Amino acid sequence: MKRRYTTLGAGFAALTALPLILSAVMAADKETGHPKTPGTDVRYQGAPVMMKPEEAKETLTPKAPPLTPAEFTRAKQIFFERCAGCHGVLRKGATGKPLTPDITLAKGTAYLKVFIQYGSPAGMPNFGTGGELSASDVELMAKFLQHEPPQPPEWGMKEMKASWKLLVPPNKRPTKQENSYNLSNVFSVTLRDSGQVALIDGDTKKIINIVKTGYAVHISRLSHSGRYLYVIGRDAQVNLIDLWMKKPDNVAVIKTGLEARSVDTSKYKGYEDKYAIAGTYWPPQFTIMNGDTLEPLKIVATRGYTVDTQEYHPEPRVASIVASHFHPEFVVNVKETGQTLMVNYSDLNNLKITAIGTERFLHDGGWDSTKRYFLVAANQRNTIAVVDAKDNKLVKLVKDGVGKIPHPGRGANFVDPKFGPVWATSHLGDESVVLIGTDPGKHKANAWKVVRTLKGQGGGSLFIKTHPKSKNLWVDTPLNPDAAISQSVAVFDINNLDKPYQVIKIADMAGLGEGPKRVVQPEYNKAGDEVWFSVWNGKTQVSAIVIIDDKTRKLKQVIKDKRLVTPTGKFNVYNTQHDVY
C-alpha cells in the first residue's frame, strides 16, 4: 500500500503541475516567425556530449523501474545528446537542475514524463511536444533518470598520447610566413555542425581555408606571437593550426578528454607560446601541453569541494581559462565548485596552484581594460566574480544589480561618460545589460559595482562587444524565442547611454531563405571599423556572415558560401591575440 500511495502521489503531483506547464509551453511555442523550426530549438539547450553510450557503464538501481540492456544503451545515448550539457554527465546539475536518484525516485515516472514531454517555464525544452522524443522515448527517459547515472570512462595520459598526432614537426614548418595574407586581420569562424573552422581573410572577405577540427568548436585562441591558432571542440579535440603555412592548416591534434570548452596559451614574459592548456568537462581536469606540438605534459584533476557548502563534487567542469599577464600562470575557472585556480606553470614538476574561492557555476568572462582583473560570470548565481591576477585574490562578488544568468562571452570594456571605465555583460535570462565599474583608482567609488543598467531587446543574449576605436556597444539575442529579436541585434551609443538602442535587422540583410537565422556573436576587425555577425541557420540551410560598417551602422558586405555550415563564433586574430574586447 505504501508503494502504491507513493506512485499515486507522484502522478497526482504531475497532474497538478500540468496546467501550469502547458500554459507556459503554449505561450512559448506560439508562432514566432521561425519557419520549420521545432519548439525545442528556440529554447536554451546544452550541446551534445560526445561520448559513446557503450563507454559509460550503467549501474542498476533496485528501486527504479527495470530497463533492458538495449533500453539502457538507448537512454544513455539520448541523455548524452540532449541532457548532459545542462544537467551534467553525472546529473549533479548546472544550468539544469540535479537529476540524481535521491530526487528522481521520489518524483516517480509519471511526474518525470510530464516535464520531459512538456518542458518547464524555467527553460527546459519540451522534448515530447516539440517532436524531439517519441512517446516511448519520453517514458524510457523518465525510467532511466531514476537509476544511478552511468559512469563515463576516465581519460588519462595513455589515452591522450594515443590520440596525439604531430602532423608537421616544428623543424618541418616554415621559418617565415609563406603566404601574403594580413594575418592580424584573419578571422577564425566556427562551423558548428560540420566539425570545421573557416579561416577568412578580413581584408578581402575571401575564405582562405576550411580546416577540419573537432565537433562544435567552442573557442579559438592565438599564440602570443599570433602565428599559431588553437581551437577546441566540444568533443575535447584540440587542433593546432599554423598560420604561416602557404595554406594555413593543422600541424598537430590531440583529444584531452571526452568533452571540453576551453584552451589558451602562455603569455607571460619568458614563457611566450611555451605551453598550451586545455580544460575539460569530462573528465573534470585540465592538461598542460607543449605549445608548439600539443604533446601532453601534465594532467591535473579538478574534483573537489564546493566553495559554499564544502560538499564534495565528482564532476566540477573546467569552464574557462585565460592566461595571466602578471605571472607565469593560467587562470582556470571550475564551474561546479566555484574555484578559480591560479596555475603557475614555471615549474611543472613542482606545480603551484593558488585556489581562490569565488562562486559556484562559473562560466565565461574576460579581462578589464588593464588586464589585471578577471571578471567571470557565476551564471546560475547571478553573480560576477572579480579576481585580481596580480595579487592573486578575490576582489569582489558583484551580486547587486546583476541580472538573470549573466553570459558575457568575454564582456566589453569602454569608458562610461559618467562613471569611467566599465566592463559590461548581457544576460541569458533577462533583457538587462549591466555595466560594472573597473577602476579602483580615480573612480574608486564606482569600482566593482553595477553603475548602470541598460534595457536591451530581451533575454537569450550570448555575446556583447565593443572596440577601443568604436562608440558602439553591440548586444546579440540569438536564444530569444521571438524571431524578430533573435534575428536582430541592439546597438547602444556609448557616448549617450540614456538614448534608446537601435535595432539592426541583421538576418534580413543576409537575404537567406527559411530557418531560424539566429544572429550571434559580434566580432570586430583589427581596425575596429567593421563588426561581423554570424547568421546561424540550420545544418541543411543557407547561413551567412554579415559585415556592418561600425560608424554608419549600415550593411557593408554579406559573405555567403555553401561551405559556411552553421557559423557561430568568430575570432579576429589581432583582437584575440591581444585580448581586445
Side-chain angles (χ1 to χ4, degrees):
M1 290 295 293
K2 184 176 181 180
R3 185 169 185 175
R4 182 182 179 189
Y5 175 82
T6 303
T7 304
L8 288 173
F12 178 77
L15 289 172
T16 302
L18 184 56
L20 292 174
I21 298 170
L22 279 174
S23 63
V25 170
M26 290 173 66
D29 287 343
K30 286 181 179 179
E31 179 58 45
T32 59
H34 293 283
K36 297 187 179 181
T37 304
T40 50
D41 279 0
V42 296
R43 288 168 173 244
Y44 180 77
Q45 297 184 61
V49 174
M50 303 306 291
M51 296 183 188
K52 298 177 181 178
E54 62 271 18
E55 291 179 336
K57 297 180 180 180
E58 60 263 16
T59 303
L60 294 173
T61 303
K63 294 182 180 180
L67 292 176
T68 66
E71 288 175 327
F72 229 113
T73 299
R74 169 65 178 163
K76 286 189 290 185
Q77 180 178 2
I78 293 173
F79 185 80
F80 290 155
E81 290 180 351
R82 306 288 186 187
C83 316
C86 283
H87 296 281
V89 172
L90 300 182
R91 306 206 305 257
K92 287 286 187 177
T95 302
K97 294 183 178 181
L99 293 172
T100 46
D102 59 312
I103 297 170
T104 55
L105 275 171
K107 299 294 185 184
T109 303
Y111 186 95
L112 295 170
K113 280 174 63 177
V114 169
F115 281 90
I116 298 169
Q117 177 77 4
Y118 297 103
S120 76
M124 178 174 164
N126 51 320
F127 289 114
T129 58
E132 298 288 316
L133 297 179
S134 66
S136 59
D137 280 341
V138 169
E139 182 163 4
L140 172 64
M141 295 308 295
K143 294 177 179 178
F144 169 76
L145 293 176
Q146 297 173 69
H147 289 269
E148 288 292 332
Q151 180 76 31
E154 300 296 324
W155 193 268
M157 187 61 73
K158 178 182 177 181
E159 290 79 12
M160 289 189 201
K161 284 287 184 71
S163 74
W164 175 47
K165 297 177 182 178
L166 185 57
L167 304 174
V168 183
N171 63 357
K172 300 293 184 182
R173 297 175 196 167
T175 56
K176 61 181 180 179
Q177 185 178 336
E178 293 184 345
N179 57 63
S180 59
Y181 300 114
N182 176 13
L183 294 182
S184 63
N185 199 35
V186 167
F187 288 76
S188 173
V189 180
T190 297
L191 305 181
R192 188 184 187 278
D193 294 329
S194 65
Q196 299 169 318
V197 295
L199 302 180
I200 302 180
D201 184 343
D203 292 349
T204 66
K205 315 301 189 287
K206 302 294 185 182
I207 295 176
I208 297 170
N209 195 16
I210 302 292
V211 182
K212 184 175 176 56
T213 62
Y215 171 76
V217 164
H218 190 64
I219 58 172
S220 298
R221 291 290 181 260
L222 272 298
S223 64
H224 182 273
S225 65
R227 172 180 180 172
Y228 290 116
L229 176 70
Y230 300 77
V231 299
I232 189 164
R234 292 174 186 262
D235 58 357
Q237 179 171 307
V238 181
N239 287 71
L240 177 60
I241 300 168
D242 187 353
L243 298 179
W244 277 14
M245 295 170 69
K246 186 173 182 180
K247 188 175 184 179
D249 210 335
N250 288 310
V251 293
V253 63
I254 190 173
K255 271 182 67 70
T256 56
L258 298 177
E259 187 185 7
R261 296 293 186 276
S262 51
V263 68
D264 212 335
T265 64
S266 53
K267 290 185 171 66
Y268 189 68
K269 186 176 181 180
Y271 295 88
E272 299 94 332
D273 301 346
K274 183 174 183 179
Y275 297 120
I277 182 173
T280 48
Y281 270 25
W282 188 269
Q285 61 193 31
F286 60 85
T287 303
I288 299 175
M289 302 163 282
N290 266 330
D292 60 356
T293 66
L294 299 184
E295 179 185 6
L297 302 174
K298 187 82 170 180
I299 305 171
V300 180
T302 54
R303 292 180 173 99
Y305 292 82
T306 60
V307 70
D308 48 3
T309 61
Q310 299 290 288
E311 174 187 1
Y312 179 75
H313 200 294
E315 192 191 354
R317 301 175 286 182
V318 177
S320 56
I321 301 175
V322 294
S324 172
H325 298 270
F326 285 87
H327 303 287
E329 292 178 339
F330 293 118
V331 184
V332 178
N333 295 282
V334 186
K335 186 184 290 283
E336 280 75 16
T337 55
Q339 301 281 354
T340 296
L341 308 178
M342 314 300 282
V343 180
N344 190 302
Y345 50 73
S346 61
D347 184 351
L348 296 188
N349 289 326
N350 300 285
L351 195 68
K352 295 180 181 179
I353 300 177
T354 301
I356 302 174
T358 49
E359 179 61 284
R360 293 188 68 186
F361 309 116
L362 298 175
H363 195 64
D364 53 357
W367 295 109
D368 79 309
S369 59
T370 69
K371 300 179 178 62
R372 172 175 176 173
Y373 301 98
F374 186 69
L375 294 92
V376 58
N379 57 15
Q380 291 302 310
R381 291 290 172 87
N382 304 331
T383 299
I384 300 296
V386 183
V387 174
D388 184 344
K390 182 179 180 181
D391 291 343
N392 281 3
K393 66 179 182 180
L394 175 67
V395 177
K396 181 76 176 292
L397 293 179
V398 184
K399 296 178 178 288
D400 292 342
V402 176
K404 186 177 181 182
I405 316 179
H407 195 287
R410 305 200 84 178
N413 288 300
F414 58 94
V415 177
D416 183 292
K418 181 177 180 181
F419 299 105
V422 296
W423 177 92
T425 181
S426 52
H427 298 80
L428 269 169
D430 63 35
E431 74 279 4
S432 68
V433 176
V434 301
L435 281 53
I436 296 172
T438 59
D439 179 14
K442 293 182 179 179
H443 300 84
K444 185 176 181 179
N446 301 328
W448 320 129
K449 63 180 66 174
V450 174
V451 295
R452 190 192 295 267
T453 300
L454 309 175
K455 183 177 181 180
Q457 286 200 89
S461 177
L462 293 179
F463 297 101
I464 184 171
K465 187 72 71 170
T466 190
H467 188 277
K469 297 181 181 179
S470 173
K471 295 303 179 184
N472 288 324
L473 177 65
W474 300 86
V475 185
D476 72 11
T477 40
L479 297 185
N480 193 286
D482 188 329
I485 297 176
S486 67
Q487 296 178 4
S488 62
V489 297
V491 55
F492 294 88
D493 181 350
I494 288 174
N495 288 333
N496 191 355
L497 291 169
D498 294 325
K499 181 181 177 181
Y501 59 80
Q502 180 184 356
V503 175
I504 309 293
K505 297 180 179 181
I506 301 293
D508 288 353
M509 295 175 175
L512 306 178
E514 64 183 25
K517 294 177 287 191
R518 300 180 182 91
V519 176
V520 63
Q521 207 219 20
E523 175 72 347
Y524 278 86
N525 63 343
K526 178 185 177 182
D529 57 9
E530 293 176 355
V531 58
W532 294 35
F533 294 90
S534 297
V535 183
W536 170 22
N537 231 346
K539 186 175 182 179
T540 61
Q541 297 163 325
V542 180
S543 294
I545 304 293
V546 171
I547 302 170
I548 300 294
D549 184 298
D550 184 67
K551 185 175 181 179
T552 65
R553 302 181 179 178
K554 302 295 184 182
L555 176 65
K556 187 169 184 178
Q557 190 167 335
V558 177
I559 303 175
K560 290 183 184 178
D561 191 295
K562 64 181 180 180
R563 294 173 292 173
L564 292 178
V565 179
T566 57
T568 52
K570 299 164 301 303
F571 303 87
N572 175 268
V573 166
Y574 182 87
N575 294 336
T576 305
Q577 177 188 358
H578 295 280
D579 293 315
V580 177
Y581 42 82

